[in-house]
Amino acid sequence: MEEFEIFKKRAREFVLNAKNSAKRKRYDIAIFNLEQSAQLLIKYLLGKKLGDFPKTHSLVLLLEELGKAYNAEKMTKLFINKNFFDFEFLESSYINSRYLAYYYNKEHWSKLLKFYNTLKDFLQKITNENLS
């Protein structure tokens, strides 16, 4: 559904903003933008497939719904379990960056960027959608 293409475009913009912020050592903003990009990619895929998506910020809940929509529940559950702490860390950045005096560093950024790319690869795998 074309109406959800804006989410894909915004996801690209958020990841570009994340990388630019990281270059300026603004890791809190960079990681927040990375989380927003991940959310929007999953919401784009759900919207395109189902015409809607759950109104939640939880990457895990969104990904579980995506697994159901694409008949990839088992593979999705395994992916979530394998990467549970990375999901928790990335999800917590949404709250931490907006409401708390939490500071991120280059190591946090590097780890979460690697996870983001792993998540994006997984999304492409189960949906056969090019997310570049």
Side-chain angles (χ1 to χ4, degrees), residues 84-120:
F84 185 76
F85 289 108
D86 291 324
F87 274 110
E88 287 292 311
F89 193 38
L90 189 57
E91 281 186 4
S92 70
S93 72
Y94 178 82
I95 300 295
N96 292 342
S97 294
R98 292 185 66 169
Y99 303 112
L100 303 174
Y102 189 89
Y103 297 96
Y104 293 96
N105 60 38
K106 187 175 183 177
E107 289 75 28
H108 293 127
W109 162 251
S110 296
K111 176 145 182 57
L112 288 175
L113 180 60
K114 182 179 177 184
F115 171 64
Y116 173 86
N117 289 324
T118 300
L119 173 61
K120 188 174 165 185

Side-chain angles (χ1 to χ4, degrees), residues 32 67 81 93:
F32 173 79
N81 289 340
S93 72

Side-chain angles (χ1 to χ4, degrees), residues 16-77:
L16 287 175
N17 288 343
K19 290 175 181 179
N20 288 331
S21 293
K23 285 179 188 173
R24 295 189 334 262
K25 298 182 181 11
R26 294 294 316 272
Y27 300 114
D28 55 339
I29 302 300
I31 292 169
F32 173 79
N33 280 298
L34 208 57
E35 190 277 341
Q36 291 293 283
S37 180
Q39 256 193 73
L40 287 173
L41 283 177
I42 300 170
K43 289 177 178 180
Y44 159 72
L45 293 165
L46 281 166
K48 186 175 177 186
K49 179 78 171 178
L50 304 175
D52 199 11
F53 53 82
K55 307 309 184 256
T56 180
H57 299 290
S58 170
L59 294 172
V60 170
L61 291 176
L62 289 167
L63 191 56
E64 286 173 344
E65 290 302 312
L66 190 70
K68 291 176 192 172
Y70 282 89
N71 294 320
E73 288 177 82
K74 185 175 181 181
M75 191 174 10
T76 301
K77 187 63 109 178

